Amino acid sequence: MLKLVGICVIFGGILGGIVSWNENRRMKIGDMVLLEQFVSHAVYRLETEKVYVAELLEVTGEKSDRLRDTFQDIVAKMQKNDCPFGERIWTEVWRKHRGEWNFSEQFLFLVTECAKGLFGDNLRENIDVLKHIREQMQIQIQEEKVQWREKQKVFTPVGILGGIMIVIILL
Amino acid sequence: MEFVNIFPVRIRQTIPKDKWDGLEEIRIRAKLPVEFLYADRRSLHFGVVEKEEIREMMNYLSGYSLYAMENELKEGFFTMKGGHRVGVVGRVARAEDTPNGKKGICGIYDFSGLNIRIAHERKGCAKQLVQQIRQGDSIHNTLILAPPGAGKTTYLRDSIRILSYGDSEHMGLKIAVVDERSEIAACYQGIPQNDLGPRTDVLDNCPKERGIFMMLRSMSPQIIAVDELGKEEDFMAVYQAVCSGSRILGTVHAQRIRELSEKPYMRKILEAGMIDRFVLLSRELDGTRKMQIYDEAMRRIC
């Protein structure tokens, strides 16, 4: 009986680990896709209606609670009018909220670079910068997806085999 | 006061408190003191603004979205929240000459100065004017004439408000406002900052000649209100509007009535007898305004 319980615990732990790892990767890619969609939306709104940054952030932030919190923080700091540069506000807030997001330092760099496209003086340049950042984000998302699939192919069977071996050893 | 936060952080501490009453203009020039100008011609100086700080102010004024004001900056001014007009000077970037031979402007960079004209809603100032231009359930076609700074836009705005609300003796009228320079309604991100009444529709930032036609086709206005008529296209659009049955309430730059006949495009309008009332505004030395009203034959009636 004890052995049976032990086997179940071991397999449960391994499965839980695999599911948790999968979930983490899914969330990481989800966060990256969310930001990529924001950049796409920003490009569209800038091209069609030269939207103000505050309005863009307020509308786009409704897509997710975390995005709303981060963007609300940015808008609140902008409205205080005590920082001469919008880029500085953007970068500082993203660094502050870093822990709530599941993306890599590389991707965070792209997110902070968005400031050049959101707070520049020239509309055309802003759009070009954001388009370039969007392309880089799409590349990183694609790489992340490929890595996930590759690792899944390895981790899942290794995890299961490892669990079987532990069970055999214990038995 | 809403203007304190547009100043750089360093300058805010030097702004004298309780000096906002009667303020008409705030002038900021690089490496010179900030200047407050009042209606009674007094001025107040304080602080010295650096060139980088003017750039900082532009960020605050534009909500960190200077790119969104590219078109306005080409004209040399934009409207901030509250309806106040901000004139901008600096280095102009020139574009290729336009097909009609005019010099093109890309925008203004290296900002070196700002002039903030404080918008004042003087509710009730146009009460007498409106009484004189009423005609039955509508109004006479009316032009308000004045030199810059005399209050044309203020009187136009209040006239629109009074006519839109109506009163115990007159129904409110449907008024279409073509606000090319965002000074009448002072829309900020699409929302009018001034009270123009409940029956007023505003087309913001739209060229007058296009806007008048758009309003005629879509909003069935009883009155079309426009500010600073000057180009031939403006007057052609006015002509069409009057022929369509709408009344016109507009403003024109002029110091005297006879200046109207010197403007080439105005002559046609005058010869056609389209305008029934001319309101001449002037500003006295103590800041008060004087109003003279003339009928279609240029006879003074008030």
Side-chain angles (χ1 to χ4, degrees):
Chain A
M1 186 65 195
L2 212 59
K3 283 180 186 173
L4 194 60
V5 168
I7 290 166
C8 290
V9 164
I10 289 165
F11 271 112
I14 289 166
L15 265 171
I18 292 170
V19 165
S20 168
W21 176 82
N22 264 328
E23 199 47 42
N24 263 343
R25 298 303 279 220
R26 197 191 316 274
M27 277 174 57
K28 183 176 181 182
I29 292 172
D31 285 355
M32 291 166 83
V33 167
L34 193 61
L35 267 301
E36 188 261 335
Q37 285 173 347
F38 160 71
V39 174
S40 291
H41 186 70
V43 166
Y44 173 72
R45 295 287 302 272
L46 284 173
E47 274 178 334
T48 52
E49 49 181 287
K50 292 191 201 172
V51 66
Y52 285 74
V53 175
E55 187 187 333
L56 175 69
L57 298 183
E58 278 163 359
V59 167
T60 333
E62 287 162 16
K63 288 179 189 276
S64 98
D65 291 343
R66 275 178 305 148
L67 202 59
R68 189 189 58 230
D69 290 343
T70 309
F71 283 172
Q72 273 179 354
D73 201 356
I74 294 171
V75 171
K77 284 186 163 39
M78 283 166 59
Q79 286 170 347
K80 277 190 187 166
N81 280 1
D82 57 10
C83 178
F85 306 109
E87 294 91 329
R88 196 183 294 169
I89 296 174
W90 177 270
T91 305
E92 281 174 4
V93 169
W94 274 104
R95 292 273 168 209
K96 179 181 145 196
H97 284 259
R98 171 76 182 94
E100 299 162 26
W101 295 89
N102 291 300
F103 35 72
S104 61
E105 281 300 316
Q106 239 182 333
F107 197 83
L108 179 65
F109 173 75
L110 286 179
V111 172
T112 54
E113 284 291 284
C114 288
K116 290 179 184 163
L118 293 171
F119 297 100
D121 290 351
N122 184 275
L123 181 68
R124 238 350 326 133
E125 273 179 29
N126 287 4
I127 292 170
D128 287 345
V129 165
L130 288 173
K131 280 182 175 173
H132 177 72
I133 290 173
R134 180 179 59 186
E135 275 170 24
Q136 296 300 309
M137 283 181 166
Q138 286 166 348
I139 290 171
Q140 285 200 19
I141 290 167
Q142 199 48 39
E143 281 174 2
E144 194 63 39
K145 282 181 178 171
V146 165
Q147 271 188 23
W148 182 24
R149 272 197 297 272
E150 296 298 317
K151 285 183 179 169
Q152 240 182 357
K153 283 181 198 169
V154 173
F155 284 1
T156 308
V158 164
I160 291 170
L161 274 172
I164 292 171
M165 284 195 55
I166 292 172
V167 165
I168 291 170
I169 290 166
L170 283 177
L171 284 172
Chain B
M1 185 75 183
E2 68 213 88
F3 299 106
V4 172
N5 274 354
I6 66 165
F7 285 92
V9 176
R10 182 182 69 85
I11 299 289
R12 279 177 218 172
Q13 294 143 14
T14 67
I15 295 175
K17 296 178 187 21
D18 69 354
K19 293 290 182 188
W20 301 99
D21 288 337
L23 186 61
E24 281 206 340
E25 279 186 4
I26 300 174
R27 289 195 172 255
I28 296 117
R29 299 177 180 93
K31 299 195 183 303
L32 289 172
V34 175
E35 190 178 23
F36 275 15
L37 293 167
Y38 296 87
D40 56 5
R41 316 255 184 213
R42 277 183 304 127
S43 67
L44 184 68
H45 298 85
F46 61 91
V48 171
V49 179
E50 299 299 324
K51 190 178 156 201
E52 300 74 34
E53 288 172 326
I54 295 183
R55 180 67 177 86
E56 186 181 336
M57 288 182 71
M58 287 297 286
N59 269 340
Y60 297 153
L61 285 163
S62 64
Y64 298 94
S65 305
L66 213 53
Y67 60 83
M69 299 195 308
E70 257 179 0
N71 286 340
E72 288 90 336
L73 285 175
K74 283 179 193 173
E75 301 296 322
F77 72 93
F78 59 92
T79 304
M80 63 178 273
K81 195 174 182 184
H84 317 291
R85 191 202 285 198
V86 183
V88 181
V89 293
R91 184 177 60 84
V92 169
R94 292 171 58 173
E96 296 291 325
D97 288 352
T98 55
N100 59 6
K102 289 192 177 167
K103 299 288 180 195
I105 292 178
C106 282
I108 300 180
Y109 304 94
D110 292 339
F111 307 113
S112 59
L114 302 172
N115 172 25
I116 304 172
R117 270 177 56 174
I118 315 291
H120 295 288
E121 254 189 304
R122 298 202 194 279
K123 290 189 178 179
C125 67
K127 206 170 163 188
Q128 190 191 5
L129 187 161
V130 169
Q131 277 171 1
Q132 294 296 329
I133 66 173
R134 281 200 188 274
Q135 185 189 33
D137 289 335
S138 185
I139 62 166
H140 292 284
N141 289 318
T142 303
L143 283 185
I144 301 173
L145 319 168
K152 293 188 296 300
T153 307
T154 306
Y155 274 76
L156 175 67
R157 187 186 300 125
D158 199 47
S159 303
I160 294 167
R161 185 188 64 82
I162 293 171
L163 291 165
S164 182
Y165 273 108
D167 54 36
S168 52
E169 292 170 16
H170 305 96
M171 279 185 61
L173 299 170
K174 287 186 293 178
I175 305 179
V177 175
V178 183
D179 199 359
E180 184 170 0
R181 306 209 297 186
S182 300
E183 285 192 313
I184 307 172
C187 288
Y188 178 73
Q189 297 183 10
I191 311 293
Q193 304 291 293
N194 294 323
D195 179 9
L196 295 183
R199 294 174 184 82
T200 304
D201 304 301
V202 180
L203 208 49
D204 182 50
N205 198 34
C206 182
K208 282 188 276 292
E209 72 277 12
R210 295 288 305 277
I212 289 174
F213 285 121
M214 286 163 70
M215 287 298 210
L216 283 172
R217 279 197 289 265
S218 62
M219 304 310 287
S220 65
Q222 289 166 295
I223 299 172
I224 292 185
V226 283
D227 199 13
E228 299 200 5
L229 293 162
K231 297 181 290 190
E232 180 180 11
E233 306 86 75
D234 297 343
F235 289 107
M236 292 317 298
V238 164
Y239 183 82
Q240 288 293 326
V242 173
C243 292
S244 303
S246 294
R247 299 304 169 111
I248 281 290
L249 178 59
T251 70
V252 175
H253 275 305
Q255 302 255 15
R256 289 168 290 276
I257 289 280
R258 64 171 177 272
E259 274 183 36
L260 288 179
S261 50
E262 293 163 13
K263 294 181 192 291
Y265 315 124
M266 261 316 294
R267 216 174 295 135
K268 280 187 195 170
I269 305 274
L270 293 175
E271 284 164 8
M274 275 172 28
I275 304 297
D276 309 308
R277 291 289 181 269
F278 299 90
V279 180
L280 184 63
L281 283 179
S282 57
R283 182 188 169 142
E284 303 296 298
L285 284 171
D286 59 358
T288 56
R289 266 66 174 184
K290 210 168 77 171
M291 185 169 60
Q292 299 168 30
I293 302 180
Y294 297 80
D295 65 11
E296 65 274 12
M298 304 289 195
R299 286 180 301 241
R300 187 165 169 187
I301 57 174
C302 177

